[in-house]
mmCIF file of all heavy atoms in Angstrom:
data_model
loop_
_atom_site.group_PDB
_atom_site.id
_atom_site.type_symbol
_atom_site.label_atom_id
_atom_site.label_comp_id
_atom_site.label_asym_id
_atom_site.label_seq_id
_atom_site.Cartn_x
_atom_site.Cartn_y
_atom_site.Cartn_z
ATOM 1 N N LEU A 769 -35.016 -59.108 40.255
ATOM 2 C CA LEU A 769 -35.210 -60.484 40.750
ATOM 3 C C LEU A 769 -36.592 -61.055 40.332
ATOM 4 O O LEU A 769 -36.699 -62.170 39.863
ATOM 5 C CB LEU A 769 -35.053 -60.529 42.253
ATOM 6 C CG LEU A 769 -35.274 -61.894 42.947
ATOM 7 C CD1 LEU A 769 -34.315 -62.956 42.324
ATOM 8 C CD2 LEU A 769 -35.008 -61.769 44.470
ATOM 9 N N LEU A 770 -37.596 -60.216 40.405
ATOM 10 C CA LEU A 770 -38.955 -60.629 40.063
ATOM 11 C C LEU A 770 -39.067 -60.960 38.530
ATOM 12 O O LEU A 770 -39.743 -61.863 38.125
ATOM 13 C CB LEU A 770 -39.987 -59.583 40.425
ATOM 14 C CG LEU A 770 -40.230 -59.419 41.917
ATOM 15 C CD1 LEU A 770 -41.182 -58.199 42.163
ATOM 16 C CD2 LEU A 770 -40.847 -60.633 42.502
ATOM 17 N N GLN A 771 -38.273 -60.190 37.746
ATOM 18 C CA GLN A 771 -38.311 -60.450 36.275
ATOM 19 C C GLN A 771 -37.622 -61.790 36.025
ATOM 20 O O GLN A 771 -38.120 -62.563 35.198
ATOM 21 C CB GLN A 771 -37.495 -59.353 35.578
ATOM 22 C CG GLN A 771 -38.279 -58.032 35.514
ATOM 23 C CD GLN A 771 -37.429 -56.859 34.894
ATOM 24 O OE1 GLN A 771 -36.224 -56.982 34.790
ATOM 25 N NE2 GLN A 771 -38.096 -55.788 34.536
ATOM 26 N N ALA A 772 -36.541 -62.117 36.732
ATOM 27 C CA ALA A 772 -35.919 -63.414 36.549
ATOM 28 C C ALA A 772 -36.804 -64.547 37.030
ATOM 29 O O ALA A 772 -36.858 -65.653 36.425
ATOM 30 C CB ALA A 772 -34.587 -63.481 37.276
ATOM 31 N N LEU A 773 -37.513 -64.334 38.135
ATOM 32 C CA LEU A 773 -38.424 -65.378 38.663
ATOM 33 C C LEU A 773 -39.613 -65.573 37.706
ATOM 34 O O LEU A 773 -40.244 -66.651 37.715
ATOM 35 C CB LEU A 773 -38.950 -64.976 40.020
ATOM 36 C CG LEU A 773 -37.862 -65.054 41.179
ATOM 37 C CD1 LEU A 773 -38.460 -64.407 42.418
ATOM 38 C CD2 LEU A 773 -37.507 -66.477 41.405
ATOM 39 N N GLY A 774 -39.959 -64.536 36.953
ATOM 40 C CA GLY A 774 -41.065 -64.615 36.004
ATOM 41 C C GLY A 774 -40.802 -65.379 34.764
ATOM 42 O O GLY A 774 -41.666 -65.712 33.978
ATOM 43 N N ARG A 775 -39.526 -65.735 34.518
ATOM 44 C CA ARG A 775 -39.181 -66.449 33.282
ATOM 45 C C ARG A 775 -39.456 -67.935 33.518
ATOM 46 O O ARG A 775 -39.339 -68.456 34.615
ATOM 47 C CB ARG A 775 -37.698 -66.237 32.972
ATOM 48 C CG ARG A 775 -37.338 -64.783 32.700
ATOM 49 C CD ARG A 775 -35.891 -64.557 32.413
ATOM 50 N NE ARG A 775 -35.417 -65.272 31.213
ATOM 51 C CZ ARG A 775 -34.212 -65.045 30.673
ATOM 52 N NH1 ARG A 775 -33.416 -64.155 31.196
ATOM 53 N NH2 ARG A 775 -33.878 -65.669 29.530
ATOM 54 N N PRO A 776 -39.819 -68.680 32.442
ATOM 55 C CA PRO A 776 -40.146 -70.057 32.614
ATOM 56 C C PRO A 776 -38.972 -70.970 32.867
ATOM 57 O O PRO A 776 -39.115 -72.148 33.281
ATOM 58 C CB PRO A 776 -40.840 -70.404 31.266
ATOM 59 C CG PRO A 776 -40.292 -69.470 30.292
ATOM 60 C CD PRO A 776 -40.044 -68.212 31.065
ATOM 61 N N HIS A 777 -37.780 -70.470 32.532
ATOM 62 C CA HIS A 777 -36.597 -71.367 32.671
ATOM 63 C C HIS A 777 -35.389 -70.481 32.935
ATOM 64 O O HIS A 777 -35.407 -69.244 32.798
ATOM 65 C CB HIS A 777 -36.340 -72.249 31.430
ATOM 66 C CG HIS A 777 -36.199 -71.433 30.187
ATOM 67 N ND1 HIS A 777 -35.063 -70.817 29.795
ATOM 68 C CD2 HIS A 777 -37.119 -71.116 29.195
ATOM 69 C CE1 HIS A 777 -35.238 -70.173 28.639
ATOM 70 N NE2 HIS A 777 -36.523 -70.384 28.279
ATOM 71 N N GLY A 778 -34.242 -71.073 33.320
ATOM 72 C CA GLY A 778 -33.047 -70.368 33.647
ATOM 73 C C GLY A 778 -32.570 -70.716 35.018
ATOM 74 O O GLY A 778 -33.231 -71.385 35.841
ATOM 75 N N LEU A 779 -31.287 -70.333 35.321
ATOM 76 C CA LEU A 779 -30.696 -70.623 36.621
ATOM 77 C C LEU A 779 -30.465 -69.340 37.371
ATOM 78 O O LEU A 779 -29.784 -68.427 36.888
ATOM 79 C CB LEU A 779 -29.316 -71.341 36.353
ATOM 80 C CG LEU A 779 -28.471 -71.646 37.575
ATOM 81 C CD1 LEU A 779 -29.241 -72.544 38.571
ATOM 82 C CD2 LEU A 779 -27.155 -72.312 37.176
ATOM 83 N N ILE A 780 -31.025 -69.197 38.529
ATOM 84 C CA ILE A 780 -30.822 -68.055 39.463
ATOM 85 C C ILE A 780 -29.964 -68.544 40.584
ATOM 86 O O ILE A 780 -30.264 -69.570 41.318
ATOM 87 C CB ILE A 780 -32.225 -67.590 39.999
ATOM 88 C CG1 ILE A 780 -33.085 -67.058 38.867
ATOM 89 C CG2 ILE A 780 -32.027 -66.493 41.025
ATOM 90 C CD1 ILE A 780 -34.522 -66.692 39.283
ATOM 91 N N LEU A 781 -28.847 -67.833 40.845
ATOM 92 C CA LEU A 781 -27.946 -68.258 41.907
ATOM 93 C C LEU A 781 -27.902 -67.171 42.987
ATOM 94 O O LEU A 781 -27.884 -65.984 42.702
ATOM 95 C CB LEU A 781 -26.527 -68.404 41.321
ATOM 96 C CG LEU A 781 -26.367 -69.573 40.336
ATOM 97 C CD1 LEU A 781 -25.032 -69.496 39.706
ATOM 98 C CD2 LEU A 781 -26.547 -70.918 41.093
ATOM 99 N N MET A 782 -27.877 -67.601 44.242
ATOM 100 C CA MET A 782 -27.756 -66.733 45.381
ATOM 101 C C MET A 782 -26.475 -67.157 46.120
ATOM 102 O O MET A 782 -26.302 -68.343 46.441
ATOM 103 C CB MET A 782 -28.997 -66.843 46.287
ATOM 104 C CG MET A 782 -30.201 -66.362 45.618
ATOM 105 S SD MET A 782 -31.615 -66.134 46.675
ATOM 106 C CE MET A 782 -32.779 -65.356 45.537
ATOM 107 N N THR A 783 -25.592 -66.178 46.348
ATOM 108 C CA THR A 783 -24.278 -66.534 46.846
ATOM 109 C C THR A 783 -23.967 -65.712 48.100
ATOM 110 O O THR A 783 -24.554 -64.675 48.350
ATOM 111 C CB THR A 783 -23.173 -66.157 45.806
ATOM 112 O OG1 THR A 783 -23.018 -64.738 45.737
ATOM 113 C CG2 THR A 783 -23.550 -66.698 44.449
ATOM 114 N N GLY A 784 -23.005 -66.202 48.914
ATOM 115 C CA GLY A 784 -22.667 -65.552 50.104
ATOM 116 C C GLY A 784 -22.088 -66.615 51.098
ATOM 117 O O GLY A 784 -22.250 -67.815 50.866
ATOM 118 N N PRO A 785 -21.460 -66.153 52.165
ATOM 119 C CA PRO A 785 -20.922 -67.061 53.142
ATOM 120 C C PRO A 785 -22.042 -67.767 53.937
ATOM 121 O O PRO A 785 -23.206 -67.361 53.868
ATOM 122 C CB PRO A 785 -20.107 -66.124 54.086
ATOM 123 C CG PRO A 785 -20.760 -64.811 53.929
ATOM 124 C CD PRO A 785 -21.246 -64.732 52.510
ATOM 125 N N THR A 786 -21.651 -68.755 54.676
ATOM 126 C CA THR A 786 -22.632 -69.427 55.624
ATOM 127 C C THR A 786 -23.216 -68.423 56.593
ATOM 128 O O THR A 786 -22.535 -67.555 57.110
ATOM 129 C CB THR A 786 -21.907 -70.546 56.388
ATOM 130 O OG1 THR A 786 -21.350 -71.507 55.476
ATOM 131 C CG2 THR A 786 -22.854 -71.222 57.313
ATOM 132 N N GLY A 787 -24.517 -68.504 56.755
ATOM 133 C CA GLY A 787 -25.159 -67.578 57.702
ATOM 134 C C GLY A 787 -25.496 -66.197 57.154
ATOM 135 O O GLY A 787 -25.762 -65.281 57.881
ATOM 136 N N SER A 788 -25.498 -66.085 55.764
ATOM 137 C CA SER A 788 -25.780 -64.763 55.161
ATOM 138 C C SER A 788 -27.205 -64.634 54.729
ATOM 139 O O SER A 788 -27.575 -63.632 54.065
ATOM 140 C CB SER A 788 -24.893 -64.565 53.992
ATOM 141 O OG SER A 788 -24.996 -65.523 53.004
ATOM 142 N N GLY A 789 -28.070 -65.657 55.045
ATOM 143 C CA GLY A 789 -29.474 -65.505 54.745
ATOM 144 C C GLY A 789 -29.879 -66.081 53.397
ATOM 145 O O GLY A 789 -31.003 -65.783 52.878
ATOM 146 N N LYS A 790 -29.020 -66.867 52.752
ATOM 147 C CA LYS A 790 -29.342 -67.377 51.413
ATOM 148 C C LYS A 790 -30.619 -68.233 51.423
ATOM 149 O O LYS A 790 -31.466 -68.146 50.541
ATOM 150 C CB LYS A 790 -28.169 -68.179 50.868
ATOM 151 C CG LYS A 790 -26.884 -67.376 50.650
ATOM 152 C CD LYS A 790 -25.814 -68.182 50.001
ATOM 153 C CE LYS A 790 -25.429 -69.464 50.742
ATOM 154 N NZ LYS A 790 -24.740 -69.105 52.007
ATOM 155 N N THR A 791 -30.707 -69.135 52.453
ATOM 156 C CA THR A 791 -31.879 -70.036 52.495
ATOM 157 C C THR A 791 -33.183 -69.293 52.595
ATOM 158 O O THR A 791 -34.170 -69.550 51.914
ATOM 159 C CB THR A 791 -31.769 -70.980 53.684
ATOM 160 O OG1 THR A 791 -30.553 -71.796 53.512
ATOM 161 C CG2 THR A 791 -32.927 -71.943 53.762
ATOM 162 N N LEU A 792 -33.234 -68.232 53.460
ATOM 163 C CA LEU A 792 -34.435 -67.451 53.636
ATOM 164 C C LEU A 792 -34.786 -66.715 52.321
ATOM 165 O O LEU A 792 -35.980 -66.616 51.943
ATOM 166 C CB LEU A 792 -34.272 -66.494 54.796
ATOM 167 C CG LEU A 792 -35.561 -65.809 55.258
ATOM 168 C CD1 LEU A 792 -36.674 -66.827 55.582
ATOM 169 C CD2 LEU A 792 -35.330 -64.967 56.483
ATOM 170 N N SER A 793 -33.765 -66.245 51.609
ATOM 171 C CA SER A 793 -33.983 -65.556 50.314
ATOM 172 C C SER A 793 -34.567 -66.495 49.329
ATOM 173 O O SER A 793 -35.496 -66.188 48.602
ATOM 174 C CB SER A 793 -32.663 -64.974 49.839
ATOM 175 O OG SER A 793 -32.253 -63.885 50.620
ATOM 176 N N LEU A 794 -33.982 -67.761 49.272
ATOM 177 C CA LEU A 794 -34.471 -68.767 48.315
ATOM 178 C C LEU A 794 -35.979 -69.051 48.590
ATOM 179 O O LEU A 794 -36.728 -69.119 47.664
ATOM 180 C CB LEU A 794 -33.652 -70.043 48.463
ATOM 181 C CG LEU A 794 -32.298 -70.122 47.769
ATOM 182 C CD1 LEU A 794 -31.602 -71.368 48.157
ATOM 183 C CD2 LEU A 794 -32.473 -70.004 46.258
ATOM 184 N N TYR A 795 -36.304 -69.260 49.843
ATOM 185 C CA TYR A 795 -37.694 -69.625 50.150
ATOM 186 C C TYR A 795 -38.656 -68.478 49.987
ATOM 187 O O TYR A 795 -39.837 -68.705 49.700
ATOM 188 C CB TYR A 795 -37.771 -70.270 51.563
ATOM 189 C CG TYR A 795 -37.541 -71.719 51.553
ATOM 190 C CD1 TYR A 795 -36.246 -72.259 51.695
ATOM 191 C CD2 TYR A 795 -38.587 -72.617 51.321
ATOM 192 C CE1 TYR A 795 -36.042 -73.629 51.654
ATOM 193 C CE2 TYR A 795 -38.396 -73.963 51.324
ATOM 194 C CZ TYR A 795 -37.112 -74.497 51.440
ATOM 195 O OH TYR A 795 -36.900 -75.846 51.370
ATOM 196 N N SER A 796 -38.183 -67.254 50.166
ATOM 197 C CA SER A 796 -39.022 -66.099 49.912
ATOM 198 C C SER A 796 -39.380 -66.065 48.383
ATOM 199 O O SER A 796 -40.498 -65.693 48.009
ATOM 200 C CB SER A 796 -38.349 -64.816 50.319
ATOM 201 O OG SER A 796 -38.169 -64.799 51.739
ATOM 202 N N CYS A 797 -38.390 -66.465 47.597
ATOM 203 C CA CYS A 797 -38.655 -66.542 46.090
ATOM 204 C C CYS A 797 -39.622 -67.696 45.828
ATOM 205 O O CYS A 797 -40.589 -67.567 44.981
ATOM 206 C CB CYS A 797 -37.357 -66.769 45.338
ATOM 207 S SG CYS A 797 -36.254 -65.311 45.381
ATOM 208 N N LEU A 798 -39.407 -68.856 46.463
ATOM 209 C CA LEU A 798 -40.246 -70.007 46.232
ATOM 210 C C LEU A 798 -41.682 -69.714 46.638
ATOM 211 O O LEU A 798 -42.627 -70.192 46.018
ATOM 212 C CB LEU A 798 -39.727 -71.218 46.936
ATOM 213 C CG LEU A 798 -38.424 -71.803 46.404
ATOM 214 C CD1 LEU A 798 -37.979 -73.027 47.269
ATOM 215 C CD2 LEU A 798 -38.551 -72.235 44.952
ATOM 216 N N GLU A 799 -41.837 -68.906 47.711
ATOM 217 C CA GLU A 799 -43.197 -68.571 48.117
ATOM 218 C C GLU A 799 -43.949 -67.849 47.083
ATOM 219 O O GLU A 799 -45.147 -68.016 46.865
ATOM 220 C CB GLU A 799 -43.101 -67.663 49.418
ATOM 221 C CG GLU A 799 -42.741 -68.412 50.669
ATOM 222 C CD GLU A 799 -43.939 -68.766 51.481
ATOM 223 O OE1 GLU A 799 -45.021 -68.290 51.170
ATOM 224 O OE2 GLU A 799 -43.775 -69.580 52.480
ATOM 225 N N LEU A 800 -43.238 -66.986 46.315
ATOM 226 C CA LEU A 800 -43.876 -66.209 45.231
ATOM 227 C C LEU A 800 -44.307 -67.173 44.101
ATOM 228 O O LEU A 800 -45.238 -66.817 43.342
ATOM 229 C CB LEU A 800 -42.911 -65.170 44.716
ATOM 230 C CG LEU A 800 -42.522 -64.059 45.702
ATOM 231 C CD1 LEU A 800 -41.453 -63.170 45.090
ATOM 232 C CD2 LEU A 800 -43.722 -63.207 46.105
ATOM 233 N N LEU A 801 -43.595 -68.245 43.925
ATOM 234 C CA LEU A 801 -43.872 -69.204 42.848
ATOM 235 C C LEU A 801 -44.792 -70.328 43.242
ATOM 236 O O LEU A 801 -45.269 -71.093 42.361
ATOM 237 C CB LEU A 801 -42.554 -69.780 42.357
ATOM 238 C CG LEU A 801 -41.482 -68.781 41.816
ATOM 239 C CD1 LEU A 801 -40.169 -69.491 41.649
ATOM 240 C CD2 LEU A 801 -41.938 -68.168 40.498
ATOM 241 N N ASN A 802 -45.095 -70.441 44.566
ATOM 242 C CA ASN A 802 -45.831 -71.571 45.038
ATOM 243 C C ASN A 802 -47.354 -71.463 44.762
ATOM 244 O O ASN A 802 -48.081 -70.899 45.568
ATOM 245 C CB ASN A 802 -45.538 -71.695 46.537
ATOM 246 C CG ASN A 802 -46.058 -73.076 47.073
ATOM 247 O OD1 ASN A 802 -46.265 -73.999 46.340
ATOM 248 N ND2 ASN A 802 -46.128 -73.139 48.362
ATOM 249 N N ARG A 803 -47.777 -72.033 43.661
ATOM 250 C CA ARG A 803 -49.152 -72.016 43.261
ATOM 251 C C ARG A 803 -49.538 -73.464 42.897
ATOM 252 O O ARG A 803 -48.713 -74.309 42.658
ATOM 253 C CB ARG A 803 -49.389 -71.121 42.080
ATOM 254 C CG ARG A 803 -48.930 -69.662 42.297
ATOM 255 C CD ARG A 803 -49.312 -68.783 41.112
ATOM 256 N NE ARG A 803 -48.737 -69.248 39.848
ATOM 257 C CZ ARG A 803 -47.487 -68.927 39.464
ATOM 258 N NH1 ARG A 803 -46.672 -68.127 40.221
ATOM 259 N NH2 ARG A 803 -47.016 -69.316 38.268
ATOM 260 N N ALA A 804 -50.839 -73.704 42.841
ATOM 261 C CA ALA A 804 -51.381 -75.058 42.578
ATOM 262 C C ALA A 804 -50.912 -75.565 41.215
ATOM 263 O O ALA A 804 -50.724 -76.744 41.051
ATOM 264 C CB ALA A 804 -52.903 -75.026 42.665
ATOM 265 N N GLU A 805 -50.746 -74.643 40.264
ATOM 266 C CA GLU A 805 -50.368 -75.034 38.908
ATOM 267 C C GLU A 805 -48.882 -75.230 38.684
ATOM 268 O O GLU A 805 -48.428 -75.485 37.583
ATOM 269 C CB GLU A 805 -50.956 -74.081 37.884
ATOM 270 C CG GLU A 805 -50.432 -72.688 37.947
ATOM 271 C CD GLU A 805 -51.213 -71.766 38.895
ATOM 272 O OE1 GLU A 805 -51.883 -72.323 39.792
ATOM 273 O OE2 GLU A 805 -51.141 -70.536 38.702
ATOM 274 N N VAL A 806 -48.081 -74.976 39.772
ATOM 275 C CA VAL A 806 -46.584 -75.083 39.649
ATOM 276 C C VAL A 806 -46.089 -76.223 40.526
ATOM 277 O O VAL A 806 -46.419 -76.310 41.677
ATOM 278 C CB VAL A 806 -45.939 -73.736 40.120
ATOM 279 C CG1 VAL A 806 -44.428 -73.876 40.017
ATOM 280 C CG2 VAL A 806 -46.463 -72.617 39.233
ATOM 281 N N ASN A 807 -45.320 -77.111 39.902
ATOM 282 C CA ASN A 807 -44.696 -78.239 40.600
ATOM 283 C C ASN A 807 -43.321 -77.840 41.054
ATOM 284 O O ASN A 807 -42.406 -77.695 40.264
ATOM 285 C CB ASN A 807 -44.604 -79.461 39.698
ATOM 286 C CG ASN A 807 -44.026 -80.659 40.403
ATOM 287 O OD1 ASN A 807 -43.992 -80.742 41.616
ATOM 288 N ND2 ASN A 807 -43.600 -81.641 39.662
ATOM 289 N N ILE A 808 -43.122 -77.605 42.387
ATOM 290 C CA ILE A 808 -41.869 -77.158 42.983
ATOM 291 C C ILE A 808 -41.269 -78.349 43.697
ATOM 292 O O ILE A 808 -41.905 -79.048 44.480
ATOM 293 C CB ILE A 808 -42.097 -76.021 43.938
ATOM 294 C CG1 ILE A 808 -42.668 -74.777 43.289
ATOM 295 C CG2 ILE A 808 -40.751 -75.662 44.661
ATOM 296 C CD1 ILE A 808 -42.957 -73.583 44.172
ATOM 297 N N SER A 809 -40.023 -78.578 43.457
ATOM 298 C CA SER A 809 -39.206 -79.615 44.144
ATOM 299 C C SER A 809 -37.938 -79.058 44.652
ATOM 300 O O SER A 809 -37.300 -78.174 43.999
ATOM 301 C CB SER A 809 -38.933 -80.786 43.190
ATOM 302 O OG SER A 809 -40.104 -81.441 42.771
#
């Protein structure tokens, strides 16, 4: 997962039913990318 997050482009998908923790996983990834030089939307 960290290797995929380290790439400058590409589509990372997280799948599972409602209530399986996808949102928390997404934001844990975004936290790793959240730096002053990165524009996250």
